[in-house]
Amino acid sequence: QVHLVESGGGSVQSGGSLRLSCAASEYTYSSYCMGWFRQAPGKEREGVAAIDDDGTTSYAESVKGRFTISRDNSKDTVYLQMNSLKPEDTAMYYCAAVGYTLESCLVIGVGDEYNYWGQGTQVTVSS
């Protein structure tokens, strides 16, 4: 069982930055496909970014050039650096992991393939 714990959310003004962290409890985490997702009230969950076991990344079109996903395997942690934040980025952000080989790791979707989820951290961007 993998436990994921997110941190780093908060309230910022438009144009600001936040860095989310996701700490994993599983020592084999470094072989997992990891992703960040978000869900705003009344909206469907959407994928934001993904990173595979060798560090290759992919992003949703809405965040390309503004968000950066990275991982530090020595700390069993994945990060989401969010710059130039916009009010439409306001949502609950979730970290997730796939505990098996996923060929489509870098395909940004709604996360149905992910089997481990954190509790979420709220990001609020005011205009």
Side-chain angles (χ1 to χ4, degrees), residues 17-65:
S17 298
L18 285 172
R19 188 175 83 153
L20 306 182
S21 298
C22 173
S25 65
E26 176 59 52
Y27 76 96
T28 57
Y29 132 95
S30 61
S31 63
Y32 293 169
C33 172
M34 302 290 295
W36 284 98
F37 297 81
R38 66 187 182 187
Q39 188 166 21
K43 294 189 176 181
E44 188 178 76
R45 185 177 65 202
E46 62 175 350
V48 175
I51 186 167
D52 68 10
D53 58 346
D54 69 4
T56 303
T57 61
S58 63
Y59 299 91
E61 286 296 325
S62 60
V63 306
K64 274 184 181 177

Side-chain angles (χ1 to χ4, degrees), residues 57-119:
T57 61
S58 63
Y59 299 91
E61 286 296 325
S62 60
V63 306
K64 274 184 181 177
R66 299 188 299 123
F67 289 12
T68 302
I69 187 172
S70 62
R71 67 196 301 165
D72 184 340
N73 291 341
S74 68
K75 297 181 179 179
D76 294 339
T77 301
V78 64
Y79 303 96
L80 186 68
Q81 177 67 44
M82 306 185 294
N83 299 327
S84 302
L85 282 161
K86 305 175 181 180
E88 50 264 44
D89 294 319
T90 295
M92 185 70 79
Y93 282 71
Y94 298 91
C95 169
V98 175
Y100 57 90
T101 300
L102 178 64
E103 295 296 329
S104 60
C105 173
L106 298 177
V107 175
I108 302 297
V110 298
D112 289 341
E113 307 87 347
Y114 287 72
N115 49 351
Y116 301 110
W117 292 83
Q119 81 289 350

